[in-house]
Amino acid sequence: MIIPAWLQLATFSAFVLVLLLDFVFVERRPHDFSTREATLWVGIYVSLALIFTGVLLVEFNGEIAQQFFSAYLTEYSLSIDNLFVFMVVMSTFAVPKVAQHRVLMFGILFALALRALLIVLGVQLIRTFEASFIVFGLFLLWTAWKVATSEEDEEPQHIKDHILVKMASKLFPTHPEYSGSRITVVLDKKRYLTPIALVMLVIGATDLLFALDSIPAVLGLTTETFIVLTSNAFALMGLRQLYFLLNGLLDRLVHLARGLSLILAFIGVKLMLEGADQGFGVHVVDIPTSVSLLVIAAVLAVTTVTSLIATRHEQSVIQDTV
């Protein structure tokens, strides 16, 4: 599929404009996000994704629009796992609430740049070696099993021992104290990195590790580079505000891991079927994009509802015992 130059330019310009507006309205006045403000921004970014879906529907066809929206929904849902790690990072470094949005903004932009490189390499690999669909599919099945069987009470790696933090501390002078939301601070005519810069580095690197799972999942839905890039960009752009909206509520999504493992397993099987067909000429069954979209949406809806019901029941039991 050939993407018109005007659409690529318009999409890129829109991303830059939204980032500038975000910076003007939020970053120039660092503050603690309220639930109302976070909800507003989540609504804005989701609306932009829906508008973009409409543009694709008008410019191309329903198949392309479905590919983008299913990829966006998959990327957004898989990115929720990132939020748990982000909370650990913020807590470990004791990041002030007024600085958390800046940390997420620049950390995720750094991650998006790294993801773009992975996406280009992944798409090129699939187009060159169509049988690599099977490798990606097996990887997603293994990941699904790991997610489904992981222990919730596993101790996370201590973030301050992160290799990137150690490397940055050796390469650049660092200061242990925060200076508002500043990335650097000048003391005695010498510039130091503040903990904010280190947290941004960890956020970006951590997201890249999660991308090793989510990007193959999206490639199972579409191999059009532009669609994969934009779905990742839309998902990551809205992830920051979702962090503030769901902060404190993520513990209630007790069935989320099971839902995500089902989505990964489903896309893994889809990838293997496509690999067998395109790589070895063994045709089994075609899974249309519309079916993929319905499966992903249904799994997310069911796991969200059952999670809320389960946690509400647990809370009522605790109250009764008290």
Side-chain angles (χ1 to χ4, degrees), residues 199-278:
V199 179
M200 289 178 181
L201 189 62
V202 173
I203 291 288
T206 301
D207 181 83
L208 184 61
L209 293 178
F210 277 93
L212 297 178
D213 297 338
S214 62
I215 289 178
V218 173
L219 291 176
L221 301 169
T222 177
T223 56
E224 174 53 52
T225 306
F226 178 74
I227 300 299
V228 181
L229 284 171
T230 51
S231 62
N232 270 260
F234 274 106
L236 289 183
M237 290 292 291
L239 189 63
R240 295 167 299 133
Q241 283 71 26
L242 192 63
Y243 169 87
F244 296 101
L245 180 61
L246 296 183
N247 195 2
L249 298 178
L250 286 176
D251 289 338
R252 297 192 61 186
L253 300 178
V254 293
H255 297 160
L256 177 65
R258 296 177 185 175
L260 296 180
S261 65
L262 287 175
I263 292 174
L264 288 172
F266 169 75
I267 299 177
V269 171
K270 185 174 183 294
L271 272 170
M272 293 184 67
L273 291 175
E274 292 182 6
D277 186 6
Q278 299 182 24

Side-chain angles (χ1 to χ4, degrees), residues 173-187:
T174 58
H175 187 67
E177 301 295 331
Y178 288 96
S179 181
S181 58
R182 294 179 180 177
I183 299 175
T184 63
V185 63
V186 177
L187 297 173

Side-chain angles (χ1 to χ4, degrees), residues 5 110 130 144 157 163 189 193 216 223 239 248 264 286 294 313:
F110 171 60
E130 293 180 337
Q157 177 190 5
I163 185 172
K189 299 182 179 180
L193 290 178
T223 56
L239 189 63
L264 288 172
D286 290 325
L294 287 174
H313 176 70

